[in-house]
Amino acid sequence: QVQLVESGGGAVQPGGSLRLSCEVSGDSRHFYTIGWFRQAPGKEREGVSCISGSNGKQYYIESVKGRFTISRDDSRDNAKRTVYLQMNSLKPEDTAVYYCAASAVPRGTAWNSFLSYDYWGQGTQVTVSS
């Protein structure tokens, strides 16, 4: 069983930055593919970014390219791994609850489908407003 815990959300002004963290525990031997999703009120859950567990390849939706960066801590010394989503130049339309999710296999072009993931965190709120 894999557990994911997000942190780092908050309220910022437009143009500000936040770094979200997704702590992955339960199976430290396996590099899971980790995706970040977001869901705004009244909207569907949207895939934002993903980092492949097999080769570290990164994926982004068009609206966050150049502003968001996904990375991971590959330390093998700890029982937990952490994936980060650095969000810069935030816009009001980035406001949403952000979730991280894990898949035991790489998802390729299906990385942004919530159906591709087996485990989910509880979410963290990001609010961008002046």
Side-chain angles (χ1 to χ4, degrees):
Q1 189 71 14
V2 175
Q3 295 83 42
L4 301 98
V5 178
E6 304 96 334
S7 61
V12 295
Q13 294 186 342
S17 298
L18 285 172
R19 188 177 80 159
L20 304 184
S21 298
C22 175
E23 189 176 84
V24 184
S25 61
D27 184 0
S28 62
R29 301 166 298 173
H30 188 89
F31 282 100
Y32 286 84
T33 288
I34 302 297
W36 282 99
F37 286 74
R38 65 186 179 187
Q39 189 165 21
K43 295 188 177 181
E44 294 185 352
R45 191 166 296 192
E46 173 184 50
V48 176
S49 182
C50 169
I51 186 165
S52 173
S54 61
N55 58 12
K57 184 175 181 179
Q58 302 164 16
Y59 302 83
Y60 302 93
I61 56 169
E62 194 64 34
S63 62
V64 307
K65 284 182 179 179
R67 300 190 299 122
F68 290 13
T69 304
I70 191 170
S71 62
R72 69 186 187 193
D73 173 9
D74 284 350
S75 170
R76 294 182 180 271
D77 296 333
N78 302 323
K80 300 177 181 178
R81 303 191 190 280
T82 304
V83 172
Y84 303 98
L85 185 67
Q86 177 67 43
M87 306 187 297
N88 299 328
S89 302
L90 283 161
K91 304 176 181 180
E93 50 264 43
D94 295 318
T95 296
V97 177
Y98 282 71
Y99 301 88
C100 64
S103 169
V105 298
R107 292 298 181 179
T109 56
W111 70 268
N112 59 345
S113 169
F114 70 90
L115 297 175
S116 295
Y117 297 85
D118 307 300
Y119 306 98
W120 291 82
Q122 83 289 347
T124 185
Q125 176 71 47
V126 171
T127 302
V128 185
S129 174
S130 55

